[in-house]
Amino acid sequence: MPASHLHDIEPEDILPEQEELFLCQPGTSLIYDSRVIHGGNANTNDQIRCAIQGFCCRGNHRLFCNHTRSIPLEIVAGATPLMRRL
């Protein structure tokens, strides 16, 4: 949702016509402010979809979330060895 980081808006309040879809080719880098409401669609083919996520913040700020530890344990328990390694 473009400019959603500038407004007090909840993801469930966004109308479909307000969304902007970015279709990226394999190998594309997408850089955005993490405060922008964002998401991804389901992987609907039989190919593995790999992603690398980076997070940058100033040294005088604490991270707001530990993304690795935020994965529910039931998902981790059902992960394949490849998923765990990635």
XYZ file of all heavy atoms in Angstrom:
673
model
N 0.862 -1.171 0.000
C 0.000 0.000 0.000
C 0.899 1.222 0.000
O 1.523 1.530 1.018
C -0.894 -0.057 1.237
C -1.597 1.215 1.578
S -2.898 1.570 0.413
C -3.428 3.144 1.009
N 1.026 1.891 -1.131
C 1.898 3.060 -1.219
C 1.564 4.118 -0.166
O 0.405 4.404 0.104
C 1.641 3.598 -2.621
C 1.138 2.420 -3.391
C 0.366 1.604 -2.393
N 2.598 4.654 0.449
C 2.513 5.739 1.440
C 1.782 5.351 2.722
O 1.455 6.210 3.523
C 1.884 6.992 0.822
N 1.548 4.057 2.948
C 0.834 3.654 4.158
C 1.630 3.956 5.417
O 1.053 4.068 6.496
C 0.470 2.168 4.095
O 1.618 1.361 3.926
N 2.939 4.117 5.291
C 3.754 4.457 6.459
C 3.544 5.898 6.908
O 3.969 6.282 7.979
C 5.234 4.201 6.167
C 5.816 5.078 5.112
N 5.368 5.074 3.804
C 6.800 5.993 5.177
C 6.064 5.951 3.104
N 6.942 6.524 3.922
N 2.865 6.657 6.101
C 2.618 8.072 6.421
C 1.248 8.292 7.054
O 0.916 9.417 7.407
C 2.725 8.924 5.145
C 4.063 8.846 4.411
C 3.996 9.631 3.116
C 5.195 9.330 5.298
N 0.465 7.243 7.184
C -0.902 7.364 7.680
C -1.159 6.349 8.780
O -0.525 5.300 8.844
C -1.907 7.148 6.547
C -1.643 8.002 5.354
N -1.924 9.345 5.327
C -1.089 7.711 4.157
C -1.562 9.849 4.149
N -1.051 8.873 3.420
N -2.099 6.650 9.644
C -2.510 5.719 10.689
C -3.577 4.814 10.094
O -4.763 5.112 10.151
C -3.042 6.503 11.899
C -3.337 5.603 13.081
O -2.862 4.452 13.089
O -4.047 6.055 13.997
N -3.135 3.702 9.488
C -4.040 2.813 8.784
C -3.689 1.370 9.138
O -2.533 1.024 9.320
C -3.975 3.043 7.257
C -5.037 2.231 6.519
C -2.597 2.786 6.708
C -5.162 2.601 5.055
N -4.709 0.547 9.242
C -4.519 -0.868 9.547
C -4.626 -1.677 8.246
O -5.423 -1.330 7.362
C -5.577 -1.350 10.542
C -5.479 -0.696 11.907
C -4.179 -1.027 12.619
O -3.687 -2.165 12.471
O -3.652 -0.144 13.315
N -3.851 -2.761 8.116
C -3.899 -3.560 6.877
C -5.302 -4.016 6.503
O -5.659 -4.025 5.318
C -3.000 -4.757 7.195
C -2.055 -4.257 8.235
C -2.853 -3.266 9.060
N -6.111 -4.378 7.485
C -7.463 -4.876 7.168
C -8.399 -3.774 6.652
O -9.475 -4.059 6.138
C -8.085 -5.579 8.378
C -8.214 -4.725 9.612
C -6.988 -4.771 10.528
O -5.955 -5.310 10.149
O -7.092 -4.233 11.630
N -7.990 -2.512 6.784
C -8.814 -1.402 6.306
C -8.491 -1.000 4.868
O -9.135 -0.112 4.320
C -8.637 -0.177 7.218
C -9.144 -0.437 8.629
O -10.069 -1.263 8.786
O -8.609 0.185 9.570
N -7.514 -1.651 4.266
C -7.113 -1.304 2.903
C -8.037 -1.987 1.905
O -8.282 -3.193 1.984
C -5.653 -1.713 2.650
C -4.737 -0.908 3.569
C -5.276 -1.486 1.193
C -3.307 -1.334 3.532
N -8.546 -1.224 0.974
C -9.416 -1.748 -0.079
C -8.561 -2.301 -1.217
O -7.457 -1.802 -1.469
C -10.324 -0.635 -0.604
C -11.229 0.032 0.437
C -11.943 1.219 -0.171
C -12.202 -0.978 1.014
N -9.033 -3.321 -1.911
C -8.242 -3.899 -3.009
C -7.798 -2.877 -4.045
O -6.683 -2.967 -4.562
C -9.192 -4.938 -3.621
C -10.101 -5.322 -2.497
C -10.268 -4.059 -1.681
N -8.625 -1.887 -4.332
C -8.245 -0.887 -5.340
C -7.154 0.062 -4.850
O -6.570 0.810 -5.632
C -9.463 -0.103 -5.839
C -10.231 0.627 -4.765
C -11.370 -0.189 -4.164
O -11.423 -1.411 -4.333
O -12.213 0.432 -3.507
N -6.852 0.040 -3.552
C -5.775 0.857 -3.005
C -4.423 0.143 -3.064
O -3.394 0.768 -2.904
C -6.074 1.226 -1.551
C -7.265 2.132 -1.370
C -7.560 2.356 0.095
O -7.985 1.439 0.801
N -7.308 3.564 0.564
N -4.444 -1.158 -3.280
C -3.212 -1.939 -3.325
C -2.468 -1.704 -4.632
O -3.066 -1.425 -5.662
C -3.517 -3.430 -3.195
C -4.131 -3.806 -1.876
C -4.481 -5.278 -1.800
O -4.233 -6.015 -2.778
O -5.007 -5.686 -0.758
N -1.154 -1.825 -4.561
C -0.328 -1.743 -5.757
C 0.505 -3.016 -5.821
O 1.228 -3.340 -4.889
C 0.578 -0.523 -5.718
C 1.341 -0.306 -6.992
C 2.029 1.041 -7.048
O 1.546 1.990 -6.419
O 3.056 1.117 -7.732
N 0.392 -3.734 -6.916
C 1.071 -5.008 -7.090
C 2.408 -4.794 -7.802
O 2.477 -4.102 -8.818
C 0.189 -5.954 -7.912
C 0.720 -7.353 -8.160
C 0.876 -8.111 -6.845
C -0.219 -8.092 -9.095
N 3.460 -5.371 -7.252
C 4.779 -5.343 -7.875
C 5.104 -6.759 -8.324
O 5.216 -7.664 -7.492
C 5.853 -4.877 -6.888
C 5.811 -3.430 -6.579
C 5.013 -2.952 -5.547
C 6.548 -2.524 -7.319
C 4.964 -1.610 -5.255
C 6.506 -1.176 -7.035
C 5.713 -0.713 -6.005
N 5.231 -6.970 -9.609
C 5.630 -8.261 -10.151
C 7.105 -8.163 -10.492
O 7.510 -7.327 -11.296
C 4.814 -8.609 -11.395
C 3.309 -8.765 -11.179
C 2.601 -8.999 -12.511
C 3.031 -9.899 -10.222
N 7.902 -9.000 -9.874
C 9.350 -8.929 -10.037
C 9.876 -10.185 -10.708
O 9.402 -11.285 -10.433
C 10.029 -8.760 -8.675
S 9.529 -7.286 -7.793
N 10.856 -10.016 -11.554
C 11.531 -11.138 -12.182
C 12.507 -11.762 -11.183
O 12.987 -11.082 -10.267
C 12.294 -10.660 -13.422
C 11.391 -10.116 -14.524
C 10.445 -11.176 -15.047
O 10.832 -12.322 -15.280
N 9.184 -10.804 -15.233
N 12.828 -13.042 -11.339
C 13.829 -13.655 -10.460
C 15.119 -12.843 -10.462
O 15.559 -12.351 -11.501
C 14.050 -15.032 -11.091
C 12.769 -15.330 -11.796
C 12.292 -13.997 -12.312
N 15.677 -12.668 -9.283
C 16.911 -11.903 -9.139
C 16.709 -10.426 -8.874
O 17.660 -9.682 -8.672
N 15.462 -9.980 -8.853
C 15.151 -8.570 -8.622
C 15.345 -8.217 -7.151
O 15.033 -9.001 -6.268
C 13.691 -8.284 -9.019
O 13.533 -8.561 -10.407
C 13.307 -6.832 -8.749
N 15.864 -7.031 -6.899
C 15.941 -6.503 -5.533
C 14.832 -5.488 -5.353
O 14.629 -4.613 -6.190
C 17.290 -5.808 -5.286
O 18.327 -6.734 -5.304
N 14.119 -5.615 -4.269
C 13.046 -4.689 -3.947
C 13.384 -4.065 -2.599
O 13.518 -4.772 -1.604
C 11.706 -5.422 -3.893
C 10.462 -4.602 -3.604
C 10.252 -3.532 -4.673
C 9.250 -5.507 -3.525
N 13.552 -2.776 -2.568
C 13.914 -2.075 -1.341
C 12.778 -1.122 -0.993
O 12.323 -0.356 -1.831
C 15.234 -1.292 -1.525
C 16.355 -2.266 -1.892
C 15.573 -0.506 -0.274
C 17.647 -1.604 -2.296
N 12.319 -1.223 0.260
C 11.203 -0.387 0.690
C 11.312 -0.139 2.177
O 11.997 -0.851 2.908
C 9.857 -1.043 0.353
C 9.698 -2.428 0.934
C 9.145 -2.612 2.192
C 10.130 -3.540 0.227
C 9.021 -3.878 2.736
C 10.005 -4.809 0.764
C 9.451 -4.968 2.023
O 9.336 -6.221 2.551
N 10.631 0.889 2.633
C 10.550 1.205 4.050
C 9.680 0.128 4.707
O 8.553 -0.111 4.283
C 9.909 2.588 4.215
C 9.935 3.096 5.638
O 9.627 2.307 6.560
O 10.236 4.286 5.833
N 10.197 -0.538 5.735
C 9.460 -1.641 6.345
C 8.167 -1.198 7.020
O 7.327 -2.028 7.342
C 10.337 -2.374 7.362
O 10.672 -1.515 8.434
N 7.983 0.103 7.209
C 6.732 0.592 7.792
C 5.602 0.619 6.783
O 4.437 0.763 7.144
C 6.946 1.984 8.388
C 7.953 1.985 9.539
C 8.272 3.388 9.970
N 8.912 4.089 8.842
C 9.122 5.408 8.790
N 8.729 6.169 9.783
N 9.711 5.958 7.753
N 5.931 0.483 5.487
C 4.901 0.411 4.448
C 4.189 -0.926 4.603
O 4.823 -1.964 4.765
C 5.531 0.522 3.044
C 4.507 0.241 1.954
C 6.150 1.888 2.842
N 2.860 -0.913 4.575
C 2.109 -2.161 4.652
C 2.425 -2.955 3.390
O 2.256 -2.471 2.276
C 0.603 -1.891 4.799
C 0.341 -1.171 6.131
C -0.180 -3.191 4.718
C -1.084 -0.721 6.325
N 2.931 -4.176 3.585
C 3.398 -4.973 2.466
C 3.108 -6.450 2.715
O 2.786 -6.850 3.823
C 4.901 -4.767 2.253
C 5.724 -5.156 3.449
N 5.863 -4.346 4.552
C 6.424 -6.281 3.721
C 6.628 -4.951 5.445
N 6.984 -6.137 4.978
N 3.207 -7.221 1.678
C 2.986 -8.655 1.807
C 3.341 -9.342 0.507
O 3.729 -8.709 -0.467
N 3.209 -10.643 0.504
C 3.503 -11.425 -0.687
C 2.417 -12.446 -0.922
O 1.728 -12.872 0.006
N 2.263 -12.844 -2.153
C 1.271 -13.854 -2.502
C 1.836 -15.245 -2.272
O 3.044 -15.439 -2.172
C 0.850 -13.698 -3.964
C 0.036 -12.444 -4.180
O -0.557 -11.907 -3.258
N 0.011 -11.960 -5.412
N 0.955 -16.219 -2.245
C 1.358 -17.607 -2.091
C 2.153 -18.068 -3.307
O 1.930 -17.614 -4.435
C 0.123 -18.485 -1.917
N 3.096 -18.970 -3.069
C 3.835 -19.590 -4.151
C 2.941 -20.683 -4.738
O 2.703 -21.703 -4.100
C 5.138 -20.178 -3.607
C 6.034 -20.694 -4.717
O 5.741 -20.536 -5.891
N 7.127 -21.320 -4.341
N 2.426 -20.467 -5.936
C 1.416 -21.367 -6.501
C 1.978 -22.343 -7.530
O 1.212 -23.005 -8.223
C 0.280 -20.560 -7.141
O 0.839 -19.702 -8.158
C -0.450 -19.709 -6.104
N 3.299 -22.434 -7.652
C 3.859 -23.435 -8.562
C 4.722 -24.409 -7.771
O 4.830 -24.313 -6.554
C 4.626 -22.775 -9.716
C 5.823 -21.981 -9.229
O 6.564 -22.432 -8.361
N 6.020 -20.806 -9.791
N 5.320 -25.353 -8.473
C 6.091 -26.386 -7.774
C 7.570 -26.020 -7.610
O 8.366 -26.852 -7.202
C 5.942 -27.735 -8.474
C 6.435 -27.701 -9.916
O 6.782 -26.610 -10.410
O 6.467 -28.770 -10.546
N 7.926 -24.799 -7.902
C 9.308 -24.339 -7.762
C 9.518 -23.730 -6.377
O 8.631 -23.082 -5.829
C 9.636 -23.279 -8.820
C 9.462 -23.769 -10.242
C 10.465 -24.837 -10.589
O 11.644 -24.696 -10.326
N 9.986 -25.932 -11.170
N 10.703 -23.933 -5.822
C 11.031 -23.321 -4.539
C 11.261 -21.832 -4.762
O 11.944 -21.430 -5.708
C 12.286 -23.970 -3.934
C 11.996 -25.421 -3.563
C 12.766 -23.193 -2.716
C 13.219 -26.185 -3.087
N 10.671 -21.030 -3.919
C 10.874 -19.585 -3.982
C 11.822 -19.197 -2.842
O 11.498 -19.359 -1.678
C 9.555 -18.838 -3.829
C 9.738 -17.326 -3.923
C 8.532 -16.548 -3.444
N 7.334 -16.856 -4.198
C 6.136 -16.392 -3.878
N 5.973 -15.620 -2.826
N 5.085 -16.696 -4.595
N 12.975 -18.712 -3.193
C 13.959 -18.296 -2.187
C 13.957 -16.779 -2.075
O 13.699 -16.074 -3.048
C 15.355 -18.759 -2.579
S 15.529 -20.539 -2.646
N 14.226 -16.305 -0.895
C 14.286 -14.866 -0.675
C 15.365 -14.566 0.354
O 15.655 -15.392 1.222
C 12.941 -14.340 -0.183
N 15.944 -13.422 0.232
C 16.896 -12.926 1.220
C 16.315 -11.628 1.753
O 15.940 -10.748 0.986
C 18.277 -12.674 0.597
C 18.872 -13.976 0.063
C 19.204 -12.026 1.610
C 20.149 -13.789 -0.715
N 16.233 -11.532 3.052
C 15.676 -10.336 3.672
C 16.767 -9.670 4.494
O 17.467 -10.318 5.263
C 14.498 -10.702 4.575
C 13.889 -9.518 5.262
C 12.720 -9.927 6.144
O 12.374 -11.088 6.266
N 12.105 -8.957 6.777
N 16.894 -8.403 4.322
C 17.841 -7.631 5.119
C 17.102 -6.546 5.873
O 16.005 -6.140 5.491
N 17.698 -6.106 6.936
C 17.066 -5.068 7.746
C 18.156 -4.120 8.214
O 19.188 -4.563 8.724
C 16.346 -5.690 8.948
C 15.587 -4.706 9.777
C 14.299 -4.337 9.432
C 16.157 -4.125 10.889
C 13.584 -3.422 10.190
C 15.459 -3.207 11.652
C 14.170 -2.858 11.298
N 17.959 -2.859 8.016
C 18.941 -1.857 8.435
C 18.278 -0.860 9.362
O 17.122 -0.483 9.167
C 19.489 -1.096 7.229
S 20.334 -2.140 6.038
N 18.996 -0.459 10.381
C 18.534 0.625 11.238
C 19.760 1.337 11.796
O 20.860 0.807 11.772
C 17.607 0.129 12.349
S 18.420 -0.840 13.611
N 19.544 2.512 12.266
C 20.640 3.294 12.831
C 21.152 2.635 14.104
O 20.407 1.981 14.831
C 20.168 4.706 13.117
C 19.820 5.427 11.844
C 19.429 6.842 12.116
N 19.071 7.448 10.833
C 18.778 8.701 10.676
N 18.778 9.519 11.706
N 18.470 9.169 9.494
N 22.426 2.816 14.385
C 23.052 2.180 15.524
C 22.483 2.587 16.868
O 22.602 1.860 17.846
N 21.852 3.747 16.924
C 21.295 4.214 18.191
C 19.829 3.803 18.380
O 19.182 4.248 19.305
C 21.431 5.733 18.312
C 20.677 6.480 17.222
O 20.391 5.930 16.171
N 20.394 7.736 17.473
N 19.308 2.925 17.504
C 17.937 2.422 17.613
C 17.954 0.920 17.866
O 18.782 0.198 17.322
C 17.145 2.686 16.325
C 16.816 4.122 16.121
N 17.689 4.992 15.522
C 15.728 4.838 16.432
C 17.133 6.194 15.475
N 15.941 6.119 16.018
N 17.032 0.449 18.680
C 16.882 -0.987 18.901
C 15.996 -1.569 17.812
O 15.048 -0.938 17.360
C 16.224 -1.249 20.257
C 17.150 -0.967 21.414
C 16.523 -1.357 22.717
N 16.188 -2.784 22.693
C 15.342 -3.358 23.518
N 14.734 -2.637 24.443
N 15.097 -4.640 23.454
N 16.291 -2.810 17.432
C 15.412 -3.507 16.491
C 14.059 -3.721 17.149
O 13.984 -4.021 18.338
C 16.018 -4.854 16.109
C 17.322 -4.808 15.312
C 17.859 -6.215 15.123
C 17.094 -4.147 13.974
N 12.998 -3.577 16.401
C 11.662 -3.732 16.972
C 11.185 -5.172 16.969
O 10.218 -5.512 17.626
C 10.641 -2.850 16.242
C 10.389 -3.275 14.823
C 9.364 -4.152 14.522
C 11.169 -2.798 13.789
C 9.123 -4.546 13.218
C 10.941 -3.195 12.488
C 9.923 -4.070 12.205
N 11.867 -6.041 16.222
C 11.397 -7.416 16.108
C 12.559 -8.329 15.759
O 13.407 -7.967 14.955
C 10.330 -7.495 15.013
S 9.651 -9.145 14.757
N 12.597 -9.502 16.370
C 13.533 -10.547 15.981
C 12.757 -11.471 15.047
O 11.994 -12.316 15.497
C 14.047 -11.300 17.208
C 15.069 -12.348 16.838
O 15.002 -12.952 15.771
N 16.021 -12.562 17.721
N 12.933 -11.293 13.747
C 12.115 -12.010 12.767
C 12.290 -13.521 12.864
O 11.332 -14.270 12.709
C 12.422 -11.531 11.349
C 12.006 -10.119 11.116
N 10.690 -9.764 10.967
C 12.713 -8.975 11.044
C 10.602 -8.462 10.793
N 11.811 -7.966 10.834
N 13.500 -13.996 13.131
C 13.716 -15.433 13.233
C 12.950 -16.017 14.406
O 12.288 -17.045 14.288
C 15.215 -15.742 13.382
O 15.900 -15.186 12.255
C 15.472 -17.226 13.428
N 13.005 -15.363 15.539
C 12.317 -15.875 16.723
C 10.819 -15.621 16.690
O 10.088 -16.125 17.542
C 12.929 -15.278 17.979
C 14.328 -15.793 18.210
C 14.862 -15.370 19.528
N 16.185 -15.971 19.694
C 16.964 -15.734 20.698
N 16.584 -14.919 21.667
N 18.147 -16.311 20.788
N 10.339 -14.858 15.720
C 8.900 -14.595 15.637
C 8.155 -15.691 14.881
O 6.943 -15.676 14.825
C 8.645 -13.235 14.979
O 9.009 -13.275 13.610
N 8.882 -16.664 14.312
C 8.234 -17.767 13.592
C 7.633 -18.719 14.627
O 8.338 -19.187 15.517
C 9.242 -18.510 12.700
C 9.836 -17.542 11.665
C 8.572 -19.709 12.009
C 10.994 -18.129 10.889
N 6.344 -19.013 14.540
C 5.716 -19.917 15.516
C 6.407 -21.278 15.558
O 6.802 -21.823 14.520
C 4.274 -20.044 15.028
C 4.043 -18.813 14.205
C 5.373 -18.506 13.575
N 6.541 -21.829 16.761
C 7.241 -23.102 16.940
C 6.604 -24.244 16.162
O 7.308 -25.141 15.690
C 7.314 -23.451 18.426
C 8.196 -22.523 19.272
C 8.145 -22.951 20.730
C 9.626 -22.510 18.755
N 5.273 -24.238 15.975
C 4.636 -25.303 15.210
C 5.032 -25.254 13.734
O 5.095 -26.280 13.062
C 3.110 -25.289 15.365
C 2.427 -24.026 14.909
C 2.292 -22.959 15.994
O 2.932 -23.086 17.052
O 1.549 -22.001 15.759
N 5.325 -24.081 13.232
C 5.814 -23.971 11.854
C 7.247 -24.473 11.775
O 7.618 -25.219 10.868
C 5.694 -22.523 11.342
C 4.219 -22.152 11.182
C 6.449 -22.350 10.021
C 3.973 -20.727 10.770
N 8.076 -24.092 12.733
C 9.463 -24.560 12.774
C 9.497 -26.085 12.883
O 10.275 -26.755 12.196
C 10.237 -23.909 13.942
C 11.631 -24.490 14.065
C 10.298 -22.401 13.765
N 8.637 -26.653 13.718
C 8.612 -28.102 13.922
C 8.272 -28.851 12.631
O 8.768 -29.949 12.392
C 7.618 -28.465 15.017
N 7.437 -28.260 11.786
C 7.038 -28.916 10.546
C 7.910 -28.572 9.355
O 7.654 -29.037 8.244
N 8.951 -27.777 9.575
C 9.806 -27.332 8.460
C 10.712 -28.464 7.985
O 11.201 -29.266 8.787
C 10.643 -26.138 8.895
N 10.932 -28.499 6.700
C 11.876 -29.463 6.138
C 13.295 -29.021 6.494
O 13.519 -27.865 6.858
C 11.754 -29.513 4.598
O 12.164 -28.249 4.081
C 10.332 -29.844 4.171
N 14.268 -29.928 6.387
C 15.660 -29.515 6.648
C 16.095 -28.336 5.774
O 16.805 -27.440 6.248
C 16.469 -30.780 6.341
C 15.522 -31.901 6.632
C 14.169 -31.382 6.186
N 15.642 -28.317 4.522
C 15.991 -27.200 3.636
C 15.402 -25.894 4.166
O 16.086 -24.867 4.202
C 15.496 -27.465 2.212
C 15.699 -26.312 1.218
C 17.163 -25.953 1.066
C 15.069 -26.655 -0.122
N 14.138 -25.928 4.572
C 13.514 -24.709 5.095
C 14.242 -24.211 6.337
O 14.470 -23.015 6.503
C 12.038 -24.968 5.401
C 11.180 -25.123 4.170
S 9.487 -25.630 4.529
C 8.905 -24.279 5.500
N 14.632 -25.129 7.206
C 15.362 -24.730 8.416
C 16.702 -24.106 8.056
O 17.126 -23.127 8.667
C 15.568 -25.919 9.329
C 14.304 -26.373 10.016
C 14.588 -27.629 10.822
N 13.371 -28.189 11.331
C 13.136 -28.380 12.624
N 14.041 -28.083 13.514
N 11.998 -28.897 13.003
N 17.386 -24.688 7.089
C 18.697 -24.157 6.694
C 18.546 -22.771 6.084
O 19.328 -21.876 6.367
C 19.366 -25.105 5.696
C 20.775 -24.678 5.306
C 21.487 -25.751 4.509
N 20.791 -26.153 3.315
C 20.881 -25.500 2.137
N 21.626 -24.431 2.034
N 20.227 -25.945 1.097
N 17.523 -22.582 5.250
C 17.327 -21.280 4.630
C 16.939 -20.241 5.652
O 17.299 -19.100 5.565
C 16.248 -21.383 3.530
C 16.627 -22.228 2.336
C 15.426 -22.398 1.404
C 17.790 -21.627 1.582
